[in-house]
Amino acid sequence: MSVRLHNTLTGQKEPFEPTEPNHARIYVCGPTVYDYAHLGHARCYVVYDVLVRHLRANGMKVTYVRNVTDVDDKILKRASETGDEPTALAARFAEAYAEDMHRLGNLDPDVEPRVSTHLDDIVALVQRLIDGGHAYASDGDVYFSVESFSDYGKLSHRDLGQMKAGASDRLDEAQTARKRHPADFALWKKSAEGEWGSDSPWGHGRPGWHIECSTMAMKHLGETLDLHGGGLDLVFPHHENEIAQSEAATGKPFARCWMHNGFVEVDKEKMSKSLGNFFTARDLFDRVEPEAIRYFMMTVHYRAPLNLDWTLDDEGNVTGFPQFEEAERRLAYLYKTKQRLADLPPKRVVEGVASPPAEITGVGEALHDALDDDLNMPDALAKAADFLKAVNELCDQTMKKKGKAARAAVDAAHEGFASLEAELGLGTQSPADVLLRIRDRRARARGLDAAAIERQIALRTAARKAKDFGEADRIRDELAAQGVELLDGAEGTGWTVAD
């Protein structure tokens, strides 16, 4: 393979070369499970899902680890607000997160470690840093000494003297006062009386945020990862601190490549709860097909901001998301094309006709080349669009009077759809199921009653059988005025809702 990825550490696009040839060890920071997955999560995990799919589709073994942070101050805060037991709250949202990732079409990681099951490993790594002179205990807390690590700031390209304390927003004033240097960060935090925690050599407490990922990554992938990924907001302080504590402990590079995806923005501002422009993935699932969200996340290069637009009514209520709706139209086109190909009459598929067009035979290689170039998903989608157009033209020619299709072309088209699934995770579902959901959702949005439409179609069918073509045309025109398009076929009449 010749994959080239932008490495945040060096600021350059470089060949992706795992330590062990043809085996990529990848770690991606997973969610802190105190709420439902938002669109930023959706973008992040679609990006790394495509990366893993691409590497595997081209013959590379991948060990993909994505953690779940189920012990964290944010979880404790939310539990205190809701009255839930912290571990139960975290478990509930972890389950919801997994459901949302599946609906987006993301593969499960090979390993999904949780903080709650790695507490002993975390304590051991903290003690190792203390023993090495890189960390110190202070009134029940343990902090990493940034001054003990000369390369601190190399990922974010920041000067130690300009860094503020508590950049992760997980330290209170008392904890800040216990530090020797403002930029020192917590490896272990003591728990207040009655607060959830775990026993340790430094007292009852819980891990700091950063030490969790270093511990789980090295436990499951070794001391040097081939690639560490996450959102752009994790470069500092999270990933910077992961590098410091990991490399201070092992004396080895923590990751060969650092990969970061851009933000989801609304009106060119980062999506956040404080700005009131925050949407969970579930907020969108009832509005558009989840796979359309996946599609939309690929329309902009993963390192660039992805700006989200919406429409509002006169009272300021959100009425639509034009970009997701357009993505759903493109997804429907993909599935309609796949269905058309599957429905070609076998008797029209023959040997020895003209050679298949390059847009069909070459789509696998085109997707490969696009994704090799720093995971260029917009380019991959453009190649997919050329492929779908060519497949539709093939179907059109085949269904003409006396039309035929070369078996080689049809086989190549099926292989092309398999490449879309393998590389991008698109088109993995039943076309009939997806198109039916899209149709019914559009009908509901227009206030149309699917059962009433089916009754009208039955009346039209009866009229045609009785050769009352005037009545049949009247019903067709009446439905068309409502935006309902009838689809007459050999097996009966179906319907869809016009765009």
Side-chain angles (χ1 to χ4, degrees):
M1 294 185 68
S2 56
V3 179
R4 294 176 63 82
L5 298 171
H6 180 87
N7 187 347
T8 306
L9 185 64
T10 63
Q12 297 179 344
K13 189 159 62 175
E14 302 171 345
F16 177 60
E17 298 175 340
T19 302
E20 178 186 339
N22 215 39
H23 180 191
R25 295 176 174 86
I26 296 175
Y27 183 90
V28 174
C29 288
T32 301
V33 284
Y34 69 101
D35 204 343
Y36 292 111
H38 55 66
L39 291 182
H41 291 132
R43 185 186 194 192
C44 176
Y45 301 124
V46 166
V47 165
Y48 296 106
D49 184 74
V50 172
L51 174 65
V52 170
R53 286 176 181 272
H54 175 57
L55 296 176
R56 287 176 175 161
N58 291 279
M60 184 173 287
K61 177 183 177 182
V62 178
T63 302
Y64 177 32
V65 179
R66 187 185 67 209
N67 75 293
V68 171
T69 296
D70 61 347
V71 175
D72 187 84
D73 292 356
K74 292 182 178 180
I75 295 170
L76 298 180
K77 182 176 184 295
R78 177 59 58 83
S80 70
E81 294 169 350
T82 62
D84 289 307
E85 196 278 325
T87 57
L89 180 139
R92 185 171 75 252
F93 282 118
E95 182 178 355
Y97 160 80
E99 292 172 358
D100 292 348
M101 293 303 104
H102 290 155
R103 294 187 71 182
L104 288 167
N106 290 338
L107 301 170
D108 288 331
D110 298 294
V111 184
E112 193 169 42
R114 299 191 179 205
V115 175
S116 59
T117 60
H118 289 72
L119 293 172
D120 290 343
D121 301 298
I122 291 170
V123 168
L125 181 55
V126 173
Q127 187 62 57
R128 184 176 177 182
L129 289 166
I130 292 174
D131 294 343
H134 294 287
Y136 57 92
S138 178
D139 192 22
D141 293 345
V142 180
Y143 295 96
F144 183 86
S145 173
V146 293
E147 292 178 305
S148 75
F149 184 70
S150 60
D151 281 342
Y152 193 75
K154 67 179 179 180
L155 180 68
S156 58
H157 310 292
R158 299 187 182 207
D159 179 77
L160 180 58
Q162 298 176 350
M163 295 181 187
K164 71 169 186 172
S168 68
D169 294 323
R170 283 171 163 84
L171 291 180
D172 59 30
E173 292 183 7
Q175 290 168 326
T176 301
R178 290 194 283 270
K179 298 194 296 181
R180 296 175 183 172
H181 186 283
D184 290 352
F185 56 89
L187 302 175
W188 189 264
K189 303 178 182 181
K190 71 176 180 180
S191 295
E193 186 174 349
E195 191 175 46
W196 185 94
S198 178
D199 292 335
S200 79
W202 316 286
H204 196 64
R206 59 192 181 277
W209 178 35
H210 315 298
I211 196 68
E212 301 166 351
C213 282
S214 288
T215 301
M216 292 183 285
M218 292 194 290
K219 179 178 178 66
H220 296 285
L221 295 173
E223 293 179 340
T224 298
L225 319 176
D226 294 312
L227 184 144
H228 194 317
L232 188 62
D233 55 329
L234 298 185
V235 173
F236 184 86
H238 187 49
H239 288 169
E240 192 71 70
N241 291 350
E242 281 190 61
I243 288 176
Q245 64 202 10
S246 303
E247 297 186 3
T250 69
K252 302 174 184 178
F254 182 44
R256 295 165 64 88
C257 179
W258 287 87
M259 183 174 169
H260 295 94
N261 63 277
F263 297 130
V264 174
E265 298 181 343
V266 178
D267 293 332
K268 304 194 184 314
E269 292 185 290
K270 180 187 173 186
M271 188 183 70
S272 70
K273 289 184 178 179
S274 62
L275 293 175
N277 60 7
F278 179 88
F279 296 98
T280 69
R282 293 186 172 204
D283 289 334
L284 276 297
F285 287 166
D286 290 335
R287 292 177 177 267
V288 295
E289 192 67 19
E291 193 175 339
I293 299 173
R294 180 184 184 87
Y295 190 107
F296 174 62
M297 297 301 174
M298 300 182 194
T299 59
V300 174
H301 193 279
Y302 78 88
R303 289 194 292 115
L306 192 154
N307 194 56
L308 179 64
D309 296 324
W310 66 58
T311 56
L312 303 173
D313 61 20
D314 292 339
E315 297 178 353
N317 300 309
V318 176
T319 58
F321 295 86
Q323 294 147 308
F324 288 126
E325 292 154 13
E326 174 60 25
E328 187 175 78
R329 284 190 283 272
R330 296 184 187 186
L331 183 72
Y333 177 67
L334 184 157
Y335 277 107
K336 287 176 183 176
T337 306
K338 189 174 185 179
Q339 188 68 66
R340 289 191 75 195
L341 180 68
D343 289 344
L344 287 179
K347 64 183 180 181
R348 289 179 179 258
V349 181
V350 299
E351 307 288 349
V353 189
S355 299
E359 291 84 359
I360 292 179
T361 59
V363 67
E365 184 177 355
L367 295 174
H368 170 97
D369 291 345
L371 297 177
D372 268 0
D373 183 17
D374 197 22
L375 214 65
N376 193 335
M377 289 179 279
D379 188 31
L381 289 181
K383 300 300 189 295
D386 293 339
F387 163 73
L388 295 174
K389 179 182 177 183
V391 173
N392 271 299
E393 290 172 350
L394 172 68
C395 293
D396 290 341
Q397 291 296 323
T398 305
M399 296 310 295
K400 286 182 177 179
K401 187 176 181 180
K402 298 183 180 181
K404 302 291 182 182
R407 188 174 306 281
V410 173
D411 290 346
H414 284 297
E415 291 172 6
F417 277 109
S419 293
L420 286 177
E421 292 184 27
E423 297 272 12
L424 298 174
L426 292 176
T428 63
Q429 304 178 74
S430 158
D433 290 346
V434 173
L435 294 172
L436 181 61
R437 287 197 301 269
I438 291 174
R439 185 199 74 180
D440 288 351
R441 188 184 302 109
R442 289 177 179 174
R444 288 194 300 272
R446 296 192 182 191
L448 300 175
D449 183 339
I453 293 171
E454 294 289 354
R455 288 194 295 271
Q456 289 291 89
I457 290 174
L459 291 173
R460 177 175 177 266
T461 300
R464 295 176 74 188
K465 188 175 181 179
K467 300 188 184 303
D468 187 352
F469 298 113
E471 174 65 6
D473 288 347
R474 184 194 68 76
I475 294 172
R476 181 199 61 205
D477 294 343
E478 181 180 287
L479 290 172
Q482 299 174 58
V484 176
E485 179 183 343
L486 299 185
L487 306 171
D488 292 321
E491 298 182 2
T493 299
W495 61 280
T496 188
V497 178
D499 292 337

